[in-house]
Amino acid sequence: MNTIETTQQTDPREVYFTSAAWVSGLLGAVRAEQLDLPTPCDEFDVRTLAGHLVATVARLIAIAELGSPDSVSPYSADHDVAAFDRLVFEARAAWADDARLDAPVVVPWGAVPGRSAVWGYARELLLHGWDLAVATGQSARVDAALVHPVAEEFRTMLPAQARVPGVPFGPIVESRPDAGPLERLANFSGRSSEGWV
């Protein structure tokens, strides 16, 4: 089975909402004194990263309901787990109809079917979840079965040769020999583990 067949047969909603449950646990464990800490994602400290995670769920809802995330900022002043969980609940309802997976939508990386949007936002949750976990001293280990389909879809969408200026992912970073699957995905996205794990 090739990569395209794998991601077409896996329901991205299952991956997304399982990833969201993991991120919820991370957000709930962030302490107030950690909010100003740096993260592996240079543009965010913990507070703004948490707000961005909240915003990504709101943007996925907008994609389902309006066909585009443009009406929702990628940054939210809300950075708490309650706001995140409330939006995840709404996202379940917004994406409940299977037909939405094949409906055309517009996302920051182009015009795609809805399922591709869900894959992209599952990737956002996992990558930024890794950022949040390592920045706050939490475990960044997740089940390989959760990471694998996201990694396969990502490699298909953005292979190494597509890393050109303007693409929001840096050059692939070589992984440590004992890196777990999520750390390897973070490295593939251009994040370095050095100083974080």
Side-chain angles (χ1 to χ4, degrees), residues 9 32 118 128 147 156 184:
Q9 290 184 10
V118 180
H128 285 312
V147 179
T156 300
R184 291 182 183 278

Side-chain angles (χ1 to χ4, degrees), residues 28-187:
V30 173
R31 302 187 307 274
E33 64 268 23
Q34 294 178 314
L35 291 173
D36 295 323
L37 292 177
T39 75
C41 191
D42 292 340
E43 61 188 294
F44 296 129
D45 60 13
V46 169
R47 184 191 318 273
T48 53
L49 175 60
H52 177 63
L53 282 163
V54 171
T56 64
V57 187
R59 286 168 69 82
L60 186 63
I61 294 168
I63 291 167
E65 295 177 346
L66 304 173
S68 165
D70 292 346
S71 62
V72 179
S73 171
Y75 310 100
S76 173
D78 293 324
H79 55 78
D80 59 285
V81 67
F84 181 83
D85 288 348
R86 176 180 52 79
L87 287 168
V88 169
F89 181 82
E90 293 176 16
R92 282 188 182 279
W95 284 93
D97 184 350
D98 291 348
R100 292 203 187 274
L101 295 178
D102 296 313
V105 298
V106 176
V107 291
W109 57 95
V112 297
R115 75 179 57 249
S116 295
V118 180
W119 279 121
Y121 281 86
R123 180 177 64 245
E124 281 271 295
L125 288 180
L126 288 177
L127 288 175
H128 285 312
W130 183 83
D131 294 333
L132 183 64
V134 299
T136 57
Q138 300 185 63
S139 173
R141 297 242 175 208
V142 297
D143 191 334
L146 179 63
V147 179
H148 179 72
V150 175
E152 290 300 305
E153 188 274 343
F154 192 23
R155 288 187 180 95
T156 300
M157 187 200 80
L158 191 67
Q161 61 270 25
R163 305 297 172 96
V164 295
V167 171
F169 298 101
I172 297 169
V173 175
E174 185 175 352
S175 297
R176 300 177 305 119
D178 61 344
L182 183 53
E183 184 180 341
R184 291 182 183 278
L185 178 63
N187 298 153

